[in-house]
């Protein structure tokens, strides 16, 4: 996100760094601090009493308690450790209080500091006349005296009165000021009365600024320096000028509240309106569309609501528009397609609904379109492929339909992120033409079919996330061409077959997630080459390698401390073997199936089967179907059976007995005696208590060892659940 703070120097106004060089070292020569309860110059011995009283007079006449830094003033008897004071020879030698929020008048007593070499009172709110007594300061360092800095008197950027006959060569004070600070008069600030006193910009522009100040609680801004104080808006914090016009307003992160005034449309020469990260509410005034010269409109991270005005489409020269992270609603105006927005169209994190206007395909060129985290529906317009587009983010909406193959024509696209929608169909092979793509994120959709081998052409790809879809088939070995890839996430699909050994050649991988599929066979020995895979917890608490919930072979006597692959697996995914599924053939004589973690056991009695039957047990991290109204107790699996001909076995001569072992953590607040094993009833599209699969079936519970058993006469997907936990208000008894 681009932020142009075009008026930073105007907020700061004038640096006082050179003064700090003098005042910063004062504390090093100070006497040990001794705080006093009641200050009196009669108790000060470090400097003459008359000089002490001059300092006290300055403190009292300029609201000393309200100074920016009044450290030790009237607190200790040693003025040498008062902030800004230096008295190395028993007299006040330096007095530096520039940019310290002094507010009031200069006292005549200041003329008693006759040993002063440097007096700095610049950039404060001093007003009134300069006292004639300052002519007594004969030791001030004039320009060219050979000391640094070369000027001893600085009164600039205050509100001091300028005598009408200044400079009068016959007036001793005028002569003194001309000698010590010849520019003090032209550097005084004229007070703001109203816009009629402003000649620096047109009155209508001044009125627009005043309306902005009043409408957004200007008195409560974090920094409102000079606003409605001076009659020169060019030195108001955050205001930029180009010639006699306001060219920029940058007040981001400044605690603006309230709403945007419609008078902003008077700023027809404005290039930048940057009000990000504030507390603005209300709607966006449609009058902003009158600001046809605007280049940057940044209103993001506020509390704006209502519709996006279609009039914003009139700002045809707009280079960047940031309206994200607000509460905007309604549809996206098709008129926004008239913009240029070289730097991006950001509407993410709002409440926008309706479809994406195909007119956005008319955008001249843009670095980014980000419409994520809204409530947009409908299909993705193929017209978006007509833009010179670098990044397209449409995540977390309600988009449906297929991914337009035309997106493969966006030659210079770097990021394509469509996750968290309801997109269906296959992954277009045309996406393989996006040769500049760095990140492809299609997770959490309803995509089906196989992974296109054509993705091998995305040679600059670093992130490929296809997780949480319905993809099937095997993992293409062609992915080995993606030598820059750091993240490959294919988890939670229906992928089958062996893991290609070629994946072990992508040594740039830091995260490889293949969990929750139906992958089988041995883990490739080439995985030991994946030396950059994150260790467990290293990647923001996530593991770098995830192989759980597949059908991968677990080597006998795993882990073998002498086997390099097993050493690698133990380090990167220490418990992968406990969640693997398996297949086992059981004949008419019966047998037993036990999960790798020992928590789920099936006993097939002799006579239950007629012939050899292949059972497939697949554990799951969570049930594949929604379980609204039920509380999941951390055990889900799929159990199926086939005869020698590959035909599903749906009935058994005798029930199968399943025994589940659980922990106290698994069921949490669920009453233990209410735990039940449910099966997914395909016909009823619901979860049903598995005890009903066998006539007269009953649970056997042993809560001492955390086990329950029941007969099964039907195989499908299962989950261990408890009933919905209801919270009741306590009944209060009163004893009379």
């Amino acid at each position: 996100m681009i932020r142009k703070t075009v008026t930073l120097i105007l907020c700061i106004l004038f640096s006082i760094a050179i003064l700090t060089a003098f005042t910063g070292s004062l504390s090093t020569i100070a006497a040990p601090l001794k705080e006093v309860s009641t200050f009196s110059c009669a108790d000060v011995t470090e400097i003459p009493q008359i000089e002490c009283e001059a300092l006290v007079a300055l403190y009292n006449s300029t609201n000393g308690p309200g100074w920016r830094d009044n450290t030790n003033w009237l607190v200790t008897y040693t003025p040498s450790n008062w902030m800004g004071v230096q008295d190395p020879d028993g007299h006040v030698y330096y007095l530096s209080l520039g940019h310290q929020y002094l507010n009031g008048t200069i006292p005549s007593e200041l003329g008693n500091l006759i040993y002063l070499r440097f007096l700095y009172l610049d950039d404060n709110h001093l007003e009134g006349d300069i006292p004639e007594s300052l002519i007594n300061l004969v030791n001030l360092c004039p320009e060219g005296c050979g000391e640094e800095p070369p000027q001893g008197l600085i009164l600039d950027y205050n509100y001091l009165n300028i005598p009408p006959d200044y400079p009068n060569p016959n007036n001793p004070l005028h002569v003194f000021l001309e000698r010590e600070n010849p520019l003090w008069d032209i550097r005084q600030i004229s007070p703001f009365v109203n816009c009629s006193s402003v000649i620096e910009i047109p009155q209508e522009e001044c009125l627009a600024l005043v309306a902005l100040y009043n409408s957004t609680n200007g008195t409560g801004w974090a920094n409102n320096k000079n606003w409605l104080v001076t009659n020169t808006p060019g030195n108001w914090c955050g205001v930029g000028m180009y010639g006699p016009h306001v060219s920029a307003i940058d007040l981001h992160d400044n605690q603006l509240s309230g709403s945007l005034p419609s008078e902003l449309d008077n700023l027809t020469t404005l290039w930048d309106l940057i009000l990000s990260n504030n507390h603005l509410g209300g709607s966006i005034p449609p009058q902003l569309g009158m600001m046809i010269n605007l280049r940057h409109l940044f209103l993001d991270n506020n509390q704006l609501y209502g519709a996006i005005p279609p009039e914003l489409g009139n700002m045809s020269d707009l280079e960047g528009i940031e309206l994200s992270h607000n509460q905007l609603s309604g549809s996206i105006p098709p008129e926004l397609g008239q913009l240029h927005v070289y730097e991006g169209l950001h509407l993410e994190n709002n409440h926008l609904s309706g479809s994406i206007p195909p007119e956005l395909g008319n955008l001249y060129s843009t670095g980014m379109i980000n419409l994520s985290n809204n409530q947009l529906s409908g299909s993705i317009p193929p017209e978006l492929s007509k833009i010179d587009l670098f990044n397209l983010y449409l995540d977390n909406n309600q988009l449906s339909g297929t991914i337009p193959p035309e997106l493969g024509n966006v030659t210079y696209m770097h990021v394509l992120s469509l996750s968290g929608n309801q997109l269906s169909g296959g992954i277009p092979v045309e996406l393989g033409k996006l040769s500049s793509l760095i990140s492809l994120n299609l997770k959490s959709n309803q995509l089906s079919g196989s992974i296109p081998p054509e993705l091998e052409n995305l040679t600059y790809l670093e992130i490929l996330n296809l997780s949480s879809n319905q993809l099937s088939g095997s993992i293409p070995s062609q992915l080995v061409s993606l030598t820059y890839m750091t993240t490959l996430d294919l988890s939670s699909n229906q992928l089958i077959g062996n893991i290609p050994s070629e994946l072990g050649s992508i040594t740039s991988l830091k995260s490889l997630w293949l969990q929750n599929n139906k992958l089988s066979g041995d883990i490739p020995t080439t995985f030991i080459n994946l030396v950059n895979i994150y260790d467990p917890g290293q990647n923001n608490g996530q593991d770098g390698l995830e192989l759980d919930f597949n059908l991968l072979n677990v080597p006998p006597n795993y882990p073998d401390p002498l086997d390099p692959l097993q050493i690698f697996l133990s380090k990167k995914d220490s418990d992968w073997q406990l969640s693997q599924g398996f297949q086992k053939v059981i004949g008419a004589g019966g047998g037993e199936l036990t999960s790798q973690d020992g928590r789920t056991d099936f006993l097939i009695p002799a006579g239950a089967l007629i012939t050899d039957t292949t059972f497939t047990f697949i554990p799951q991290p969570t049930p594949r179907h929604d379980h609204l109204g039920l509380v999941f107790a951390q055990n889900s699996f799929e159990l199926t059976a086939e005869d020698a001909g590959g035909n599903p076995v749906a009935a058994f001569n005798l029930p199968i007995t399943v025994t589940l072992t659980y922990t106290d953590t698994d069921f949490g607040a669920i009453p233990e005696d209410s735990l039940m094993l449910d099966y997914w009833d395909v016909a009823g599209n619901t979860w049903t208590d598995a005890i009903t699969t066998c006539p007269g079936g009953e649970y056997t519970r042993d809560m001492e060892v955390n086990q329950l058993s029941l007969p099964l006469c039907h195989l499908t997907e299962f989950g261990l659940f408890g009933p919905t936990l209801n919270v009741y208000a306590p009944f209060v008894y009163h004893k009379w």
Side-chain angles (χ1 to χ4, degrees):
M1 183 181 297
I2 297 175
R3 290 286 183 273
K4 294 186 176 179
T5 310
V6 295
T7 55
L8 180 59
I9 192 169
L10 296 175
C11 295
I12 300 173
L13 286 180
F14 298 92
S15 172
I16 59 168
I18 195 169
L19 306 182
T20 307
F22 287 87
T23 61
S25 61
L26 300 182
S27 61
T28 62
I29 62 172
L33 299 182
K34 181 181 179 182
E35 294 189 3
V36 298
S37 57
T38 303
F39 181 83
S40 171
C41 283
D43 297 316
V44 173
T45 60
E46 193 176 61
I47 59 175
Q49 185 170 341
I50 191 172
E51 295 184 26
C52 171
E53 290 172 346
L55 296 177
V56 172
L58 177 64
Y59 183 87
N60 290 332
S61 68
T62 59
N63 187 30
W67 291 357
R68 183 181 185 182
D69 186 352
N70 61 4
T71 301
N72 293 329
W73 276 73
L74 279 60
V75 172
T76 72
Y77 291 133
T78 51
S80 61
N81 63 41
W82 296 3
M83 199 290 299
V85 178
Q86 187 175 355
D87 57 352
D89 299 319
H91 296 281
V92 178
Y93 185 77
Y94 289 99
L95 182 55
S96 179
L97 294 171
H99 194 61
Q100 291 298 330
Y101 303 162
L102 275 67
N103 193 336
T105 60
I106 300 174
S108 60
E109 290 89 341
L110 213 58
N112 294 328
L113 300 176
I114 60 175
Y115 293 93
L116 267 180
R117 298 284 285 171
F118 298 93
L119 175 59
Y120 299 139
L121 301 176
D122 56 303
D123 198 12
N124 283 296
H125 206 293
L126 297 173
E127 56 191 8
D129 296 332
I130 298 174
E132 191 169 347
S133 62
L134 292 193
I135 65 175
N136 298 327
L137 304 181
V138 296
N139 289 306
L140 287 177
C141 178
E143 185 174 358
C145 74
E147 300 197 32
E148 294 291 341
Q151 189 169 335
L153 178 65
I154 304 180
L155 303 174
D156 306 352
Y157 308 110
N158 282 289
Y159 301 84
L160 297 168
N161 294 337
I162 302 171
D165 59 343
Y166 186 84
N168 184 344
N170 298 317
N171 186 308
L173 178 61
H174 293 194
V175 173
F176 168 81
L177 293 172
E178 277 287 287
R179 181 180 72 245
E180 301 295 343
N181 188 354
L183 300 178
W184 77 274
D185 57 325
I186 66 173
R187 291 177 178 167
Q188 294 308 301
I189 300 172
S190 300
F192 177 84
V193 179
N194 53 49
C195 284
S196 63
S197 66
V198 173
I199 60 174
E200 189 178 55
I201 59 175
Q203 186 168 350
E204 61 269 18
E205 295 185 22
C206 173
L207 291 171
L209 295 177
V210 172
L212 176 64
Y213 183 87
N214 292 332
S215 183
T216 60
N217 188 30
T219 57
W221 294 357
N223 188 346
N224 61 4
K225 184 167 184 176
N226 293 329
W227 276 76
L228 279 58
V229 173
T230 75
N231 66 0
T232 51
N235 67 19
W236 297 2
C237 178
V239 176
M241 301 282 295
Y242 184 77
H245 294 283
V246 177
S247 63
I249 299 176
D250 186 350
L251 295 170
H252 73 279
D253 290 291
N254 205 35
Q255 297 183 22
L256 276 68
S257 59
S259 59
L260 294 173
S262 60
E263 290 89 341
L264 288 175
D265 65 351
N266 289 326
L267 300 173
T268 55
T269 60
L270 200 68
W271 292 346
D272 299 305
L273 180 59
I274 302 175
L275 305 177
S276 310
N277 301 309
N278 283 294
H279 308 292
L280 296 171
S283 58
I284 301 174
Q287 290 85 349
L288 294 188
M290 302 287 291
M291 305 165 71
I292 58 175
N293 291 304
L294 205 65
R295 300 294 188 273
H296 298 98
L297 177 61
F298 292 165
L299 304 177
D300 51 298
N301 289 284
N302 280 287
Q303 298 160 19
L304 299 169
Y305 57 82
I308 298 174
E311 289 83 356
L312 297 187
N314 297 330
M315 299 185 290
S316 58
D317 290 334
L318 204 63
E319 296 177 4
I321 180 169
E322 280 273 11
L323 304 179
S324 62
H325 297 271
N326 280 288
Q327 300 170 24
L328 300 171
S329 58
S331 59
I332 299 174
E335 290 82 356
L336 295 187
Q338 301 166 189
L339 303 175
H340 283 183
V341 289
Y342 303 104
E343 297 167 9
L345 173 63
H346 290 268
L347 306 178
E348 69 268 23
N349 291 89
N350 279 290
H351 306 305
L352 300 172
S353 58
S355 59
I356 300 174
E359 288 83 356
L360 293 186
N362 297 325
L363 289 167
Y364 181 76
S365 175
T366 184
M368 179 184 299
I369 294 178
N370 194 335
L371 309 179
S372 301
N373 300 304
N374 280 288
Q375 300 164 18
L376 299 171
S377 58
S379 59
I380 300 173
E383 288 84 355
L384 296 181
S385 64
K386 299 188 298 182
I387 315 171
D388 292 330
L389 181 63
F390 292 113
N391 302 318
L392 178 60
Y393 293 92
L394 303 178
D395 311 86
N396 300 316
N397 281 287
Q398 300 166 19
L399 299 172
S400 58
T402 60
I403 299 173
E406 291 87 349
L407 291 180
N409 298 325
V410 187
T411 308
Y412 298 107
M413 186 178 287
H414 294 160
V415 176
L416 177 58
S417 194
L418 310 177
S419 66
N421 283 289
Q422 301 166 20
L423 299 171
S424 58
I427 299 174
V429 297
E430 290 82 358
L431 297 187
K433 298 190 295 182
L434 298 174
S435 57
S436 298
L437 206 63
I438 295 174
S439 176
L440 177 60
N441 186 354
L442 306 178
K443 74 172 184 178
S444 299
N445 279 288
Q446 300 169 17
L447 299 173
S448 59
S450 59
I451 300 173
E454 289 80 0
L455 297 184
E456 68 176 332
N457 298 317
L458 307 179
T459 52
Y460 292 101
L461 198 67
E462 297 178 8
I463 298 173
L464 177 58
N465 193 336
L466 307 179
S467 63
S468 300
N469 279 288
Q470 300 167 19
L471 298 173
S472 58
S474 59
I475 300 173
S477 60
Q478 290 88 342
L479 296 183
V480 69
S481 300
L482 308 181
T483 56
Y484 290 102
M485 190 157 54
T486 61
T487 299
L488 176 59
D489 188 354
L490 305 179
S491 62
S492 299
N493 279 289
Q494 300 171 21
L495 299 173
I496 62 173
N498 295 337
I499 300 174
S501 61
E502 289 84 354
L503 292 186
S505 300
I506 310 177
T507 56
S508 57
L509 278 173
K510 296 181 179 180
S511 297
L512 175 59
W513 293 351
L514 304 177
Q515 72 270 26
N516 200 22
N517 280 288
K518 297 181 179 180
L519 299 170
S520 58
D522 295 332
I523 298 173
T525 57
T526 57
F527 270 28
I528 62 174
N529 299 321
L530 301 178
V531 294
N532 291 306
I533 290 285
Y534 287 122
D535 290 336
Q538 185 181 358
N539 181 24
N540 296 321
Q542 298 177 319
D543 294 348
L545 180 65
E546 288 282 3
L547 302 172
D548 303 351
F549 303 104
N550 279 292
L551 294 164
L552 298 171
N553 294 336
V554 179
N557 303 316
Y558 179 87
D560 182 348
L562 300 179
D563 186 301
L565 176 61
Q566 296 186 34
I567 294 172
F568 171 84
L569 294 174
S570 296
K571 179 181 179 182
K572 301 297 183 180
D573 190 1
S574 60
D575 59 355
W576 71 275
Q577 76 283 3
L578 298 179
S579 58
Q580 297 304 309
F582 55 86
Q583 290 185 327
K584 186 174 182 180
V585 178
I586 295 180
E592 188 174 7
L593 305 172
T594 303
S595 63
Q596 301 282 6
D597 60 6
R599 288 161 49 95
T600 309
D601 183 84
F602 303 92
L603 181 63
I604 296 95
L609 304 172
I610 299 174
T611 184
D612 288 352
T613 302
T614 300
F615 285 84
T616 301
F617 172 79
I618 302 177
Q620 300 176 155
T622 58
R624 294 185 183 273
H625 298 88
D626 290 336
H627 48 91
L628 298 177
L630 299 172
V631 182
F632 181 49
Q634 308 307 313
N635 193 342
S636 178
F637 57 88
E638 184 180 277
L639 183 65
T640 57
E642 294 180 347
D643 61 20
N647 301 307
V649 176
F652 307 97
N653 295 333
L654 296 172
I656 295 174
T657 300
V658 58
T659 300
L660 305 179
T661 303
Y662 50 86
T663 67
D664 292 346
T665 304
D666 292 337
F667 62 84
I670 304 171
E672 186 176 355
D673 60 0
S674 69
L675 287 172
M676 58 184 177
L677 184 67
D678 280 14
Y679 77 96
W680 180 250
D681 183 352
V682 177
N685 197 36
T686 186
W687 290 100
T688 302
D689 195 337
I691 200 67
T692 63
T693 64
C694 298
E698 293 182 353
Y699 282 103
T700 301
R701 302 179 186 272
D702 188 340
M703 291 185 286
E704 291 295 324
V705 295
N706 285 5
Q707 283 187 343
L708 65 81
S709 301
L710 68 153
L712 292 180
C713 295
H714 175 71
L715 303 185
T716 180
E717 180 186 2
F718 296 88
L720 183 63
F721 298 106
T724 302
L725 297 177
N726 295 314
V727 179
Y728 298 96
F731 188 87
V732 179
Y733 290 90
H734 294 278
K735 186 175 181 180
W736 301 95

